Amino acid sequence: GGDYRYAREDKGVDVQLLLFELFGGFGKGVREILWKAADVLQNKLTRAQYLDEVTWTTKSWLGLQSAEAAHLSRSSHGHRRAGRE
């Protein structure tokens, strides 16, 4: 908790712990944030996202963001293990 004391206490920032697992899983907080954002966006992709980023497995905004977050989590872990932080 001490790492974010200044932000929490002096600046009033809402600091939340978010869990990303190595094999693409997410903690409850991440899922809630993704679902809220998907709801705001009606779970629809932009034209650019549809044309540039969609695969056969990601036909919705939530699916695309979940896949991207899982990929970033795995690739970030790989860089740390290789000593390339």
Side-chain angles (χ1 to χ4, degrees), residues 7-36:
R8 285 191 334 247
E9 295 176 5
D10 296 344
K11 297 297 180 184
V13 174
D14 179 20
V15 177
Q16 298 179 20
L17 175 65
L18 300 174
L19 176 64
F20 291 85
E21 296 177 4
L22 290 180
F23 299 103
F26 310 120
K28 181 180 177 184
V30 176
R31 287 192 308 271
E32 289 174 356
I33 290 169
L34 289 173
W35 277 103
K36 285 177 185 176

Side-chain angles (χ1 to χ4, degrees), residues 3-4 6-7 9 13 18 26 30 40 42 45-46 54 66-67:
D3 292 343
Y4 301 101
Y6 173 76
E9 295 176 5
V13 174
L18 300 174
F26 310 120
V30 176
V40 168
Q42 298 177 336
L45 298 165
T46 65
V54 169
S66 296

